[in-house]
Every structure is written in C-alpha cells, then in structure tokens.
Amino acid sequence: MSKYIYLVPLFPLIGFLINGLFRKKISKPLSGLIGSGMVLASFVVSLLIFFEVKEENFQPAIVSLFEFMHAGNLSVPFSFLVDPLSCLFLLIITGVGFLIHVYSTSYMHAEDGPAYAKYFSYLNLFVFSMLLLVLGSNFVILFVGWEGVGLCSYLLIGYWFKNQEFSSAGKKAFVMNRIGDFAFLIAVFAMINQWGSASGAEIFQQAPKASTGFITMVTLLLFVGSTGKSAQIPLYTCLPDAMAGPTPVSALIHAATMVTAGIYMIARSHVLYNLAPVSQAVVAITGLATAILAASIAIKQNDIKKVLAYSTVSQLGYMFLGLGVGAYTGAVFHVMTHAFFKALLFLGAGSVIHAMGGEQDMRKMGALKKFMPVTHITFLLACLAISGIPPFSGFFSKDEILTAAFEKNPLYYIIGVAGAMMTAFYMFRLYATTFLGKFRGTADQEHHLHESPAAITFPL
C-alpha cells in the first residue's frame, strides 16, 4: 500500500485545481463536496498506509516518483518517506482537516459562489502543502511544502482582504514566516555543501563525523526556521493577529497543522539535535519562556479567539520544551493531542461566534450553556483535556513532557507545572465567562441565540 503514498497529497491538489479553476461555474454545495471529499479520500489512503506501518516487520520506505532537480553532483528526487512519524502526521492533517472542511461548508455559507469555491481551493492547497512537508524524504521537498504552507497561511488569514486590518495580518504572517524560512534555507545549503546531499537518511548517517560546531550551527538555523512557523519568542506576534481569518482557518492553521511544522522538522532531525547539546538547551529554554509568556498574556485577553491563539503559542512552547529535553515522542504525542482539543476549542468558539452574530468579546456573552448544549459539552471536554485533567488526552502528553523535563533539570519541571496551572486558569475563565452566569449581550442577540446546524455540531 505504501507505494500509493503519492495519492495522499494528490487528492487535495486535484480538489484545489477543480475548485480554483472552475470557481465561477460550480455550485456551492458541489465545491464544498469536492473540497471535503478530496481530503476524506486522502484520510482513507492514510489509514490504509497506517495499518501497514503498524505491522511488526515494517521497514521505513522511500517512494521515489521522479527526479526533481539535478545540478553537478547533486541530485534531488521527488520522493516521499513512509515511516511512523510521517504516518502519524498524515492522520492528523487529513483527519482533523476533513472535519474542518465539513464544518466550513456551513460556517462559510454566507459567501457567494466564486468566493466559497475559492475558500475551499485555498484549504485544499494548504492540506496539499502540509502533506508535502511531512512526506518529503529530503530537505528540498520538505522546504517546498514549507513555503507552500506559508503562502496558504497568507491567503487564508487575509481571505477577507477588503478589510485593511485583515489583509495587513496576512502580510504580517507572511513576513514573519520569511524570517524563519531564510534561516532554514541557509541550513539546507550548509548541509548540501557539507554532505553533498539533501536526503535526510544520508545526512543523518554522516552527521556523527561532522564537527560539533558545524552541527550546532545547522541545528540553530533549523531552530530559527521552526520559530517562524511554530510561533516561538520572538516570532510569535503574528499568530494572534492571524485570528483575522475565518474561524475554521484558525482551527486548521493554529491547531492541527501549520504551527506544528517546526515541531515536525526538529523531531525529524532529532539525530542532529542529539549531537548538539547547546542547541537542545536553546530549544528547551525558548520553549519554556514562550509557554509562560503566552500563558500570562492569555489570562488578560477578552476576545475568545485571542485567548485560544495565545494558548496555542503556550502549548507550542511545551512541545519545544519536550524536544529540547530529548522527549521527542512526548512532544509529537502532544502535537497529536493538541491537534484534537485545540481544533475542538476553535471550532467551538466559531459555533459561539456564529450564534452571537459575529460577536467575539467574552464580556458580552454568558449563560450560553442553556442555548447551545452540544457546543457547551464539547467545549467543556476540550477545556478539561487542555488543562491536563486525567483521564483526558492532554494529561498524558503533558505528563510525558514534564517527566522528561524533570529528569533533565528540576527547574524546567517547576516552571512547566506553573505554566500548566496558568493554562487551566485561563481556559476555565474562558469557559465560565462564555457558558455560565447570566447573559450580558443585547436583547436582540439573546433573541437569536440557537444551537449551530448539524454541519457545525457533527465535527465538534
């Protein structure tokens, strides 16, 4: 089955082309069906490949499609790597991505036909780029996906580009991404120069023979690349502004996929990081600092989506802490649990905003529990998960990261636990102000309060 891996990114690419090229001709239900259906097809193929990878005697496979570029002694094939790490990310991207596509069919219904199809074509292109990023067996293909994701984040964050503030937010995300990408590109050039290859397998095999100084330089450059994508200090300021995009976009970009690209890249390059203790310490300390800073900002926010945005930055800090202390499995496990509970929180927030007629200020909400039972209960479960309450998923993934942090340095652990307590505080502040107490909005808003339609509650 793994030889059909190319189908996984191919389906969203076809969806992007159909919706993009024929956006003025196809109806809204059809464009939503094509957009969602293509991601569902990718998810089914990903599942089949996952069951094959789970077999005991499975060996990681590189599936080469054609030669991507050739210059002198350097040959870069367009090839995909099928192994447990890439498979897990395939399931997260296509699984959560499919639910977000379904949710979008209802959430974006007010858009006219061509704009609706354009939105789905962007979403499909985003999924395609993200799949290319996690499947690339060499750093060049990984970089092509990396750039594609950056482009799509710009297109989706600035989707309502007639609003000057929104289009500026898109540009800001694009520029921040470029800073990280520049460092990533230099790292790739340095690796090609040193080892004559961009293939991950060849680089990791030869890495132990290189000098510690060179490995440290490359790993730090890769880390700067990751801070751009995964919103660490100092490149985190574009993430809260990115809330300008439609809520399903926030769920897709800031929960499940794009922001975890940096985590994926460091986990994929763990062989290099194990050889560079200085870089590992930098990753861990930056992650901890980001987790605490973002959590402290989230406590003071009143915009429901801004709280979740800073919360994402804080959780990404935890993932970087895990990577920095060598708990690669724990960090990737947290990527997975976070993808689910944070997508649920964003989609739940979208359901609330939908019912409130576009209102995002939590001070004007309250008592939504009795009007929106499905949104309320799903949101509460996600709050319990992100706060690390057992037996919910967030408890296990945070626990694994904090245990590894304690083994490395007890101070990391103490600061990490403080951050986790802050997470519980601001999440339940958000939950209480939105769903409990008495309604603080206008009489007109209260009159229109209702549970969202099935296309929104089913993904929740």
Side-chain angles (χ1 to χ4, degrees), residues 299-311:
I299 289 173
K300 283 290 285 176
Q301 298 298 315
N302 293 311
D303 179 320
I304 189 167
K305 279 172 74 177
K306 285 273 172 75
V307 177
L308 296 177
Y310 282 110
S311 157

Side-chain angles (χ1 to χ4, degrees), residues 23-332:
R23 62 184 182 278
K24 291 185 175 153
K25 297 188 178 66
I26 52 181
S27 65
K28 277 166 67 170
L30 183 61
S31 58
L33 186 67
I34 292 167
S36 309
M38 290 300 178
V39 181
L40 179 62
S42 289
F43 176 64
V44 172
V45 179
S46 300
L47 260 184
L48 295 172
I49 292 171
F50 171 74
F51 286 119
E52 187 181 314
V53 171
K54 229 162 67 77
E55 296 293 316
E56 296 233 332
N57 53 2
F58 176 81
Q59 292 297 319
I62 291 179
V63 181
S64 197
L65 301 176
F66 54 86
E67 188 167 62
F68 184 60
M69 61 193 220
H70 188 89
N73 298 327
L74 176 69
S75 172
V76 178
F78 196 93
S79 57
F80 295 149
L81 173 63
V82 186
D83 74 345
L85 182 62
S86 58
C87 266
L88 180 74
F89 271 85
L90 289 189
L91 291 179
I92 294 172
I93 296 160
T94 55
V96 178
F98 167 65
L99 292 175
I100 291 168
H101 276 71
V102 172
Y103 180 99
S104 296
T105 55
S106 171
Y107 194 86
M108 302 299 286
H109 69 91
E111 300 291 311
D112 60 3
Y116 190 80
K118 182 180 78 170
Y119 170 80
F120 276 100
S121 74
Y122 286 170
L123 274 194
N124 274 175
L125 181 64
F126 178 83
V127 171
F128 164 73
S129 302
M130 194 67 206
L131 291 169
L132 206 58
L133 191 160
V134 299
L135 282 173
S137 77
N138 58 62
F139 281 97
V140 175
I141 302 301
L142 195 153
F143 187 73
V144 173
W146 188 269
E147 287 300 286
V149 168
L151 167 70
C152 295
S153 69
Y154 163 73
L155 293 171
L156 285 164
I157 291 165
Y159 174 74
W160 288 310
F161 58 87
K162 288 177 182 169
N163 178 324
Q164 188 58 48
E165 193 186 330
F166 292 179
S167 81
S168 296
K171 283 186 275 198
K172 182 173 179 181
F174 195 72
V175 172
M176 287 261 182
N177 266 311
R178 296 287 73 70
I179 299 168
D181 298 350
F182 180 59
F184 185 11
L185 203 52
I186 296 171
V188 175
F189 287 150
M191 288 189 283
I192 291 173
N193 184 43
Q194 175 84 3
W195 291 301
S197 169
S199 157
E202 288 177 32
I203 287 171
F204 302 147
Q205 202 176 349
Q206 298 176 46
K209 297 172 195 158
S211 69
T212 311
F214 177 76
I215 299 278
T216 304
M217 179 197 77
V218 167
T219 47
L220 286 175
L221 284 168
L222 289 175
F223 171 61
V224 174
S226 310
T227 55
K229 274 279 180 290
S230 297
Q232 297 299 288
I233 293 173
L235 301 178
Y236 69 94
T237 52
C238 64
L239 201 63
D241 290 15
M243 294 298 116
T247 305
V249 170
S250 305
L252 189 62
I253 293 183
H254 304 116
T257 50
M258 184 189 107
V259 289
T260 58
I263 315 284
Y264 169 81
M265 197 224 332
I266 293 182
R268 172 62 74 210
S269 316
H270 69 273
V271 176
L272 300 177
Y273 281 86
N274 286 340
L275 297 168
V278 174
S279 302
Q280 279 194 317
V282 170
V283 172
I285 291 165
T286 308
L288 254 187
T290 306
I292 295 295
L293 177 71
S296 63
I297 300 174
I299 289 173
K300 283 290 285 176
Q301 298 298 315
N302 293 311
D303 179 320
I304 189 167
K305 279 172 74 177
K306 285 273 172 75
V307 177
L308 296 177
Y310 282 110
S311 157
T312 301
V313 179
S314 181
Q315 296 307 308
L316 288 165
Y318 274 103
M319 294 168 206
F320 273 95
L321 171 64
L323 296 169
V325 298
Y328 302 106
T329 317
V332 173

